[in-house]
Amino acid sequence: MQDKEIMERTRRTEWFRHDRFGMFIHWGLYAIPARGEWVRSTEEMPEEPYLAYFREFTADRYDPKEWARLARQAGMRYAVLTAKHHDGFCLFDSQLTDYKSTNTPCGRDLVREFLDAFRAEGLKVGLYYSLLDWHHPDYPHFGDQNHPLRNHPEEGNEGRDFSRYLAYMHGQIRELLTNYGRLDVMWFDFSYGDMKCETWKAAELMEMVRSLQPHILIDNRLEGSGESSGSILTEHPTPYAGDFACPEQMIPPEGMRNTAGDPIPWEACLTLNNNWGYAAGDRHYKSARMVVRTLVECVSKGGNLLLNVGPNARGEIPEESAAVLRQVGAWMAKNGASIYGCGPAGLPKPEWGRLTRRGNTLYAHVLEEQAGAVCLPGLAGKVARMRRLEDGSEIPQKEHWNLREYPEYASFFLNPSTSDSYPLPDPMDTVVELTLREE
Ligand code: GLC
């Protein structure tokens, strides 16, 4: 990738770096056993018992309009659905397989309905497509790292023709990119061992994707995974390095830069409980407060958050997830200006919270109650005015007797009348908007 291509990447990712918050949706047959989307692999389950789920999948309460409304109300601006996960089951009406939602009792093209509903709510849309495929006969079985039948020598790989699998995979991706209108993100998952890069015919695939939808954003997992980001981290990314890195179940401690020190676009993907796919016994949900703070952390480091929900077999987003998203949405409705279009402040991380910034506007995310003033290092004399973002109320700039020896700091009190410790107005994250003086 040359400088010109990096410039194009910067242009392509503009909306993405602006929007910051998206919904990830992991949904498929695995919602029936309800032990996560890897169930076939972790339990080394043969095909036949899994096909029972195919024969009973009704998704009778699938109402993507409701999902889309929930995502929009949560302040999410884009969404990515698993069109095919590792189990190989397709949520779309592919002409290249019978293993698809239209052939289950549900009988619907779930991808098409998802796209229509989310676009109608004004959200950008993306599709996840698994490079792994545990259903396709030409995908390596015995000896593969992940395949459910990896320990079955009788499932040897003679007669399996990987090039046939590649033709299938490229063909399905072509279907998704030609039959479903404009897509904003293509999220491939994932590479491991030798199963990476040209094993997927990645250069050819990239060319096809870009020729069909030149604006589309592509993740970096034709080369990488949650374990390794690939050449997007270098100064000379390959043609299939992707447009953004996608750290998984973690937030990079200092954001993400390439070896030249330039920031690269990234998106942390995170589960809301401990599973991507629906897991009936997993009640370990993150609180709304934690989600808000995690989102703020991502933005303060120049990244996005793609937050996952795992709808159940009938097609409903679990109420626990929906409840958290509604609370996040209430915060976003008041404080979204400190997220959208924002990035790092270029200042050290303060002790009491985080900073985000858009141009000359700085957002102080006060997460911890302070015994006294909230101090802003390096900003003495630079602040024109301060307002609580949520209600626009003034936070006066005052000289205070016990701060006289600290003139290099700007500071404020959340309780204007006293320097006493004072409960934060918003325990999730109290945001103060600081308008900086023109230099
Ligand atoms: C992984 C997992 C997977 C999940 C994904 C999300 O690599 O294999 O189940 O879809 O990450 O990032």
Side-chain angles (χ1 to χ4, degrees):
M1 221 191 257
Q2 300 309 313
D3 286 357
K4 184 173 145 271
E5 278 146 58
I6 293 189
M7 274 163 63
E8 275 170 25
R9 180 183 80 193
T10 303
R11 201 171 31 77
R12 260 199 309 273
T13 54
E14 207 167 306
W15 71 264
F16 179 80
R17 288 177 291 108
H18 177 276
D19 286 0
R20 292 300 187 205
F21 191 26
M23 176 183 268
F24 212 175
I25 308 170
H26 277 68
W27 194 37
L29 298 180
Y30 43 77
I32 303 177
R35 299 189 290 277
E37 78 290 351
W38 273 71
V39 61
R40 251 207 86 191
S41 175
T42 50
E43 300 182 10
E44 300 191 32
M45 194 189 288
E47 182 89 75
E48 189 42 44
Y50 200 72
L51 288 179
Y53 307 132
F54 176 81
R55 290 190 285 266
E56 74 173 84
F57 187 69
T58 58
D60 60 327
R61 292 190 186 146
Y62 176 45
D63 180 2
K65 293 197 185 94
E66 210 172 290
W67 296 5
R69 223 167 8 247
L70 180 65
R72 186 182 50 74
Q73 284 168 357
M76 292 159 157
R77 293 278 172 96
Y78 63 104
V80 178
L81 169 71
T82 50
K84 182 192 91 170
H85 205 268
H86 308 334
D87 64 357
F89 175 69
C90 297
L91 280 67
F92 64 106
D93 191 13
S94 170
Q95 297 313 298
L96 304 174
T97 183
D98 293 332
Y99 200 46
K100 55 183 177 182
S101 57
T102 43
N103 286 345
T104 65
C106 141
R108 298 156 71 180
D109 185 325
L110 305 168
V111 164
R112 186 174 303 286
E113 293 187 38
F114 156 79
L115 294 171
D116 290 347
F118 277 71
R119 287 182 186 127
E121 283 291 338
L123 281 89
K124 292 210 156 46
V125 287
L127 295 175
Y128 168 112
Y129 185 89
S130 172
L131 305 172
L132 290 67
D133 194 313
W134 300 331
H135 179 76
H136 200 284
D138 288 309
Y139 198 88
H141 289 41
F142 176 62
D144 177 70
Q145 273 180 40
N146 306 298
H147 198 283
L149 302 176
R150 58 189 171 275
N151 293 318
H152 290 251
E154 75 282 8
E155 293 291 340
N157 297 321
E158 283 110 72
R160 302 195 196 283
D161 177 354
F162 193 67
S163 66
R164 249 186 336 229
Y165 173 66
L166 286 183
Y168 172 78
M169 171 185 131
H170 284 224
Q172 285 205 316
I173 294 162
R174 179 183 289 280
E175 288 183 317
L176 291 171
L177 292 165
T178 39
N179 301 339
Y180 291 88
R182 181 187 166 103
L183 302 179
D184 302 290
V185 181
M186 193 74 230
W187 220 101
F188 295 121
D189 192 34
F190 63 80
S191 293
Y192 59 101
D194 296 335
M195 306 296 273
K196 64 173 185 190
C197 306
E198 280 312 317
T199 304
W200 308 121
K201 288 208 184 150
E204 192 185 313
L205 184 62
M206 283 305 269
E207 233 180 270
M208 173 181 77
V209 174
R210 293 249 187 265
S211 72
L212 293 170
Q213 304 225 16
H215 60 274
I216 204 168
L217 301 189
I218 304 167
D219 74 343
N220 63 338
R221 291 193 176 183
L222 285 170
E223 252 183 13
S225 66
E227 269 179 67
S228 66
S229 304
S231 65
I232 193 170
L233 289 185
T234 70
E235 282 159 75
H236 301 288
T238 64
Y240 37 81
D243 294 309
F244 60 91
C246 41
E248 177 172 333
Q249 301 289 46
M250 60 90 67
I251 315 298
E254 295 176 30
M256 293 189 81
R257 293 175 178 276
N258 66 12
T259 44
D262 298 324
I264 58 166
W266 60 271
E267 166 191 79
C269 54
L270 236 62
T271 52
L272 200 42
N273 51 1
N274 283 335
N275 282 273
W276 300 101
Y278 183 67
D282 177 2
R283 309 248 82 80
H284 194 81
Y285 285 92
K286 294 172 181 61
S287 64
R289 174 179 133 129
M290 183 167 176
V291 170
V292 163
R293 291 175 172 209
T294 305
L295 173 61
V296 169
E297 182 184 347
C298 289
V299 176
S300 76
K301 295 174 176 176
N304 288 20
L305 176 63
L306 186 66
L307 183 66
N308 182 72
V309 294
N312 64 27
R314 308 193 63 178
E316 298 158 309
I317 292 178
E319 177 49 32
E320 291 94 327
S321 300
V324 171
L325 293 183
R326 283 192 292 267
Q327 287 175 54
V328 170
W331 184 89
M332 285 291 281
K334 296 183 208 149
N335 297 293
S338 67
I339 300 293
Y340 306 123
C342 291
L347 293 163
K349 177 187 172 306
E351 305 216 3
W352 36 261
R354 302 269 171 192
L355 292 167
T356 59
R357 179 177 195 151
R358 188 182 342 88
N360 245 1
T361 309
L362 205 62
Y363 296 97
H365 299 260
V366 186
L367 306 178
E368 290 217 34
E369 217 176 297
Q370 295 297 289
V374 178
C375 292
L376 299 153
L379 288 176
K382 297 194 174 154
V383 180
R385 59 164 195 271
M386 295 188 268
R387 302 284 183 263
R388 279 259 315 278
L389 179 57
E390 120 163 30
D391 61 1
S393 58
E394 176 173 34
I395 308 242
Q397 300 203 53
K398 273 205 286 206
E399 298 245 322
H400 215 262
W401 62 271
N402 63 3
L403 295 170
R404 290 219 173 100
E405 289 172 348
Y406 305 91
E408 66 277 25
Y409 292 85
S411 57
F412 60 84
F413 294 92
L414 282 169
N415 178 350
S417 58
T418 145
S419 61
D420 289 344
S421 167
Y422 175 73
L424 293 173
D426 186 338
M428 279 209 211
D429 172 2
T430 302
V431 185
V432 175
E433 182 179 72
L434 299 106
T435 307
L436 302 183
R437 284 184 209 292
E438 307 284 339
E439 301 270 336

